Amino acid sequence: MADYDVIVIGAGPGGYVSAIRSAQRGAKTAVVEKKYLGGVCLNIGCIPTKTLINTAGLYRKLKKADEFGIHVDNAQLDLNQLKQRKNKVISLNTGGIERLFKSYHIDWIKGEATIHQPNEVTVDGKRITSKNLIIATGGRPVELPILPFDKKRIIDSSQALELTEIPKRIGIIGAGAIGCEFSCIWNSFGAEIHLIEMLPHILPKEDEELAKRLESIFKKEGIHVYTGSKLKAAKINDDDIVLSIEVSKNTEITVDLVLVCVGMKCNSDCIQEPLRSALKINKKGGIAVNEKMETGVPGVYAIGDVIDRTWLAHGASNEGIVASTNATGGNKRMDYRILPACTFTFPELASVGLTEAKAKEQGYSVKTGKFLFSANGRAHAIGEPEGMLKIIGDARTDEILGVHILGPEAGEMIATASVAMKLESTVEELAETIFTHPTLSEVLMEASEDYYGMSIHSPAKK
Ligand SMILES: Cc1cc2nc3c(=O)[nH]c(=O)nc-3n(C[C@H](O)[C@H](O)[C@H](O)COP(=O)(O)OP(=O)(O)OC[C@H]3O[C@@H](n4cnc5c(N)ncnc54)[C@H](O)[C@@H]3O)c2cc1C
């Protein structure tokens, strides 16, 4: 008889959620975790970065407090205090998971797992058996061969969270979510930021129109953005680092610190023969699964960053729910169509569904509705009138294909769009929904009305 019904390897947002759901469904469950509960997300990812973003936002506001009728003298940043607060927020969250595990009688086996067989795990030499395995071992940052991490002046996002002082000039290689968020944090704290991206626009996965608008806002805020720019060479001197990039002409940028955030690879090295050959694993280490999170080997599931798909915490958690439901006798599939994403910049950029380019690529007859935050009363009241919302529909049926929001609280607002898409609502149904006034969400209603040329607060179309 197996020791457990379900063993989950890794206690990140994928692993801990699937362990709890497995236990809720009556399975005897254990989690093997070598480092920390909550994984990257709670300890060195989503939660600590958002704690820093929050302070950066507050600091920005304090700097223009006069505008809001408050006179603040000499607001000063205390990085040590900020680090203490960040660590407190982390431990509040990780402590919560430990209590949940106890309440659901989930065993936390502390140690590093290796997996050779579908139904067993070895932890520090001890063999533990299970009817089902859910692999949720996450990922780690990729290093640039021409600029290897030294963890002091060439750093990844984990070291970026621990800086005790903000250098004067910072180079950031890669303008994905992590690069853009740190650009905003450190720019708010007074550093000179050079953000370098190889692809044509920042946040390459996002809708081009909104990403380019964010790029203009970055530039207005003093962030130096170099898109379509490949890092060609790096010279590490005693006092500085010189980055050579190729834009239209060769350019040299001198900085004191470089954050490299050019991508991630999957932590699948713990899977060994004979199981390894039975799984399909790509060059990045990503384990192939179907929409039920099944690997093809009976009883072995994989979720989260280790499957190289969403690279998002809530993606991992949802995949965890699907895997644990299927591992405990249920039948569930992932619906990636309605998976939202948010980059927590100033302002935030959030989206769900297809970009305009992707919708066209997929052969839809695309129609859009747009609305600017500058025409929204609440956005002015809070002093954040920049940004735009774009809704993309199928012109033949008016089905919502995607919603893209660049603006304050976009990360909160996108949930409404996800619900509408989950309920397969049309743009018209969204336009006919009554939104509270004055709220930022009214922008979603107005963009839906604009889709029909009927937005009340947009000028008449010629
Ligand atoms: C700086 C940063 C900011 C981010 N911000 C956001 C955000 O705002 N929103 C968002 O959705 N996503 C964000 N992410 C991404 C998010 O953190 C990840 O997508 C998410 O953590 C993936 O969850 P996971 O459970 O797959 O893996 P992880 O969180 O990586 O957890 C894997 C766990 O497995 C453990 N483990 C690995 N191998 C073994 C082994 N052999 N034995 C035992 N234990 C093992 C690890 O110690 C780890 O705890 C961010 C990431 C970073 C780096």
Side-chain angles (χ1 to χ4, degrees), residues 269-285:
D269 320 337
C270 60
I271 303 162
Q272 292 174 12
E273 297 302 343
L275 180 61
R276 197 169 178 88
S277 296
L279 300 174
K280 283 201 191 83
I281 299 180
N282 70 19
K283 277 191 186 146
K284 274 168 82 181

Side-chain angles (χ1 to χ4, degrees), residues 8-16 32-50 109-115 121-123 135-141 157-158 161 177-178 181-182 264 267-271 303-307 310-317 319 340-344:
V8 182
I9 301 138
Y16 87 75
V32 187
E33 169 55 55
K34 62 177 179 182
K35 207 166 175 187
Y36 33 39
L37 296 180
V40 168
C41 169
L42 259 59
N43 294 279
I44 53 167
C46 326
I47 300 299
T49 47
K50 265 78 265 178
I109 302 165
K110 293 176 190 164
E112 182 158 0
T114 43
I115 320 160
V121 174
T122 307
V123 185
I135 303 167
T137 43
R140 59 187 186 280
S157 54
S158 301
L161 294 165
I178 296 173
E181 289 182 6
F182 274 104
M264 304 279 285
N267 293 330
S268 55
D269 320 337
C270 60
I271 303 162
I303 59 165
D305 284 1
V306 78
I307 68 166
T310 75
W311 294 96
L312 290 167
H314 47 286
S317 298
E319 289 161 351
C342 181
T343 303
F344 296 83

Side-chain angles (χ1 to χ4, degrees), residues 45-53 56 172 174-188 195 203 214 218 223 259 261 342-346 348-349:
C46 326
I47 300 299
T49 47
K50 265 78 265 178
T51 311
L52 262 56
I53 282 272
I172 299 181
I178 296 173
C180 287
E181 289 182 6
F182 274 104
S183 293
C184 289
I185 294 169
W186 289 332
N187 179 54
S188 307
L195 177 63
L203 297 175
L214 181 61
F218 274 15
I223 297 172
L259 167 65
C261 37
C342 181
T343 303
F344 296 83
T345 36
F346 301 130
E348 296 175 358
L349 203 168

Side-chain angles (χ1 to χ4, degrees), residues 259-440:
L259 167 65
V260 178
C261 37
V262 291
M264 304 279 285
K265 58 183 170 194
C266 310
N267 293 330
S268 55
D269 320 337
C270 60
I271 303 162
Q272 292 174 12
E273 297 302 343
L275 180 61
R276 197 169 178 88
S277 296
L279 300 174
K280 283 201 191 83
I281 299 180
N282 70 19
K283 277 191 186 146
K284 274 168 82 181
I287 304 170
V289 290
N290 62 16
E291 285 181 345
K292 295 174 89 178
M293 300 297 117
E294 295 164 337
T295 59
V297 175
V300 180
Y301 300 80
I303 59 165
D305 284 1
V306 78
I307 68 166
D308 185 22
R309 197 172 277 177
T310 75
W311 294 96
L312 290 167
H314 47 286
S317 298
N318 253 274
E319 289 161 351
I321 301 265
V322 170
S324 53
T325 304
N326 294 331
T328 53
N331 185 6
K332 225 174 166 44
R333 285 166 201 274
M334 267 306 282
D335 185 0
Y336 288 106
R337 198 181 54 93
I338 49 151
L339 185 95
C342 181
T343 303
F344 296 83
T345 36
F346 301 130
E348 296 175 358
L349 203 168
S351 62
V352 60
L354 300 176
T355 60
E356 195 171 343
K358 274 263 157 14
K360 285 179 181 157
E361 214 179 283
Q362 291 187 15
Y364 284 102
S365 161
V366 169
K367 193 173 160 188
T368 61
K370 298 178 189 175
F371 195 74
L372 295 173
F373 278 82
S374 58
N376 173 272
R378 186 66 184 276
H380 282 285
I382 64 170
E384 294 187 48
E386 270 181 309
M388 184 180 99
L389 190 148
K390 170 153 106 175
I391 186 161
I392 296 160
D394 177 350
R396 284 163 308 166
T397 60
D398 287 351
E399 180 196 348
I400 305 168
L401 301 174
V403 175
H404 304 266
I405 313 176
L406 174 70
E409 306 295 342
E412 297 292 335
M413 285 169 62
I414 201 69
T416 311
S418 295
V419 173
M421 286 179 72
K422 173 82 185 166
L423 299 178
E424 295 177 2
S425 109
T426 60
V427 182
E428 188 180 14
E429 284 165 325
L430 207 45
E432 285 179 349
T433 304
I434 305 172
F435 284 72
T436 319
H437 178 74
T439 59
L440 298 166

